[in-house]
Amino acid sequence: MDDRYGSDVLAAGWRERAAKPVPEVPAELDLVVEVAGDGYCGAVTKVQAGNVELEDWKGRTRLFPLGGGFLVEGKPVKLVPPKAVQQGPRRTASGSFVVADQRARTALPSRILVEGKHDAELVEKVWGADLRVEGVVVEFLQGVDLLDALLDAEPPSATRRYGVLVDHLVPGSKESRIADAVARGPHGRHIRIVGHPFVDVWQCVTPKALGIARWPEIPRGTDWKTGICRAFGWPYETQADTGLAWQRILSKVHTYRDLEPALLGRVEELIDFVTEPAGR
């Protein structure tokens, strides 16, 4: 007679048969992982000699053996070495195909202007290879307030276009009023001003890239960057502290996927504008 309840319930291995299999997940670069034992959360920065290195949002790193004991999006997983990537057409950080043996072109007269050093560094990190191929130089202003003075000193033309990237370009803001005035002025035909809606270019880096749920809310009346550093537990008293904070944030940017779409489209628009043939 068949035993409807199966074989001996006390036989060895009954626990393993009842347990759900834990999926294996390759420890790919930038994968955000939580350690089930102590709650430590960080992004994968290195896999070597059977270990995985995780870096948390404060820049601290810890080493763990590959295998079980990890959570991804709250679910148990086993981390395994990433698969070898087959060589195919390589892409730049912006997602464009790499042009083999392409030397940088002589710089065009046209320029892309950004509001500050941090904006320029972010654009360079993601679009630098593309800009060198196109011969486009990125320069930074010390604020959009100085745009009028620059245009008077070096007016744009059909062969010398300016694309301008502005922080916090939202209706009713100071930045939008300046942009509207310039667009209506004598140089409007040869200048394109676009922007993202965030208070500062720091926020153009996605929370996911930083391993956080969202950017902290900073109260009105508090310097935004100071508030961000305080919220993250970083030093904030000097300009050097702010610079170090930005370098920590910038280090998390590897490709266009680490940036908000509100910035991506605007930079691509400016590149198209300043490289458009004269007369079009």
Side-chain angles (χ1 to χ4, degrees):
M1 182 176 70
D2 292 336
D3 183 355
R4 63 183 293 190
Y5 297 107
S7 58
D8 184 359
V9 296
L10 298 181
W14 64 272
R15 286 189 177 87
E16 289 76 5
R17 289 196 298 272
K20 292 183 179 180
V22 177
E24 294 185 346
V25 173
E28 302 284 357
L29 188 68
D30 297 328
L31 175 70
V32 177
V33 176
E34 181 180 349
V35 181
D38 61 8
Y40 180 85
C41 186
V44 174
T45 55
K46 185 190 302 181
V47 176
Q48 189 175 18
N51 295 306
V52 58
E53 182 183 79
L54 302 180
E55 181 178 349
D56 69 9
W57 62 279
K58 289 188 175 181
R60 299 172 300 192
T61 59
R62 289 175 61 182
L63 207 61
F64 301 91
L66 290 167
F70 299 98
L71 304 175
V72 172
E73 296 183 353
K75 298 179 180 179
V77 301
K78 289 182 180 178
L79 288 185
V80 298
K83 297 178 181 178
V85 179
Q86 293 184 348
Q87 289 295 326
R90 293 186 299 127
R91 291 182 179 269
T92 67
S94 71
S96 302
F97 287 112
V98 172
V99 180
D101 301 322
Q102 174 70 54
R103 294 184 179 182
R105 287 180 56 186
T106 302
L108 298 174
S110 299
R111 297 284 187 270
I112 289 179
L113 307 175
V114 297
E115 284 202 87
K117 180 181 178 183
H118 295 175
D119 307 63
E121 289 176 340
L122 185 61
V123 170
E124 161 61 28
K125 187 161 188 180
V126 176
W127 288 275
D130 307 65
L131 294 171
R132 282 185 283 277
V133 168
E134 296 291 346
V136 177
V137 173
V138 175
E139 298 178 353
F140 65 89
L141 302 162
Q142 294 298 329
V144 70
D145 315 66
L146 303 178
L147 183 56
D148 272 333
L150 182 145
L151 295 177
D152 290 340
E154 300 181 43
S157 67
T159 57
R160 183 185 176 87
R161 294 190 181 96
Y162 290 142
V164 185
L165 180 67
V166 179
D167 297 338
H168 199 229
L169 192 64
V170 295
S173 68
K174 174 194 73 175
E175 291 81 3
S176 67
R177 291 193 295 272
I178 293 174
D180 290 344
V182 171
R184 292 193 304 267
H187 307 301
R189 182 180 176 185
H190 305 303
I191 188 167
R192 178 75 56 85
I193 303 176
V194 301
H196 57 77
F198 305 108
V199 174
D200 191 273
V201 75
W202 290 17
Q203 277 185 295
C204 292
V205 180
T206 65
K208 182 179 179 181
L210 297 176
I212 59 176
R214 64 185 64 85
W215 280 91
E217 294 286 339
I218 306 303
R220 284 184 175 273
T222 300
D223 176 74
W224 191 84
K225 288 178 179 175
T226 297
I228 290 296
C229 290
R230 284 176 177 170
F232 286 165
W234 297 341
Y236 58 86
E237 295 180 347
T238 67
Q239 188 173 357
D241 291 335
T242 304
L244 180 59
W246 167 241
Q247 291 306 315
R248 286 176 172 174
I249 294 168
L250 185 62
S251 71
K252 304 301 182 183
V253 177
H254 302 288
T255 74
Y256 69 96
R257 295 186 180 89
D258 299 319
L259 302 181
E260 295 287 355
L263 175 69
L264 296 175
R266 303 295 73 75
V267 175
E268 298 288 349
E269 181 180 348
L270 293 183
I271 294 174
D272 289 343
F273 177 73
V274 300
T275 56
E276 187 177 88
R280 290 182 58 186

